[in-house]
Amino acid sequence: MLIVKEYLTAIKLDEENKLLFAYDIKNNFIDEQSEGILSEVNELMYQKIASHFHIKPEDFGVQMV
């Protein structure tokens, strides 16, 4: 799990299904009800995902916008 404090977001890698899931962070807790499939990110998020998980985000359906 990657926590991106700047955006109050947590990101989970699902290697089996080749997806990345995003969750909101509220009151310092991950809101699991906010789960969504991550498909677009800015350059900062892209770089954080790539370096944390050691993947190419586009291989998991995530595009940089």
Side-chain angles (χ1 to χ4, degrees):
M1 180 87 55
L2 168 64
I3 305 294
V4 185
K5 292 181 182 182
E6 298 93 332
Y7 297 108
L8 295 175
T9 302
I11 299 171
K12 181 175 82 172
L13 175 66
D14 179 349
E15 288 187 86
E16 184 176 318
N17 295 307
K18 291 273 214 182
L19 293 171
L20 288 164
F21 291 97
Y23 302 88
D24 294 331
I25 297 175
K26 297 180 181 174
N27 300 320
N28 292 323
F29 291 98
I30 296 170
D31 178 8
E32 298 205 15
Q33 298 297 318
S34 68
E35 178 182 87
I37 296 173
L38 195 58
S39 61
E40 294 182 339
V41 295
N42 63 23
E43 185 176 354
L44 175 65
M45 288 282 282
Y46 183 95
Q47 296 301 327
K48 284 183 180 273
I49 291 167
S51 67
H52 180 81
F53 294 117
H54 304 287
I55 62 166
K56 289 184 186 178
E58 59 268 15
D59 292 345
F60 289 79
V62 177
Q63 299 298 314
M64 184 170 36
V65 292

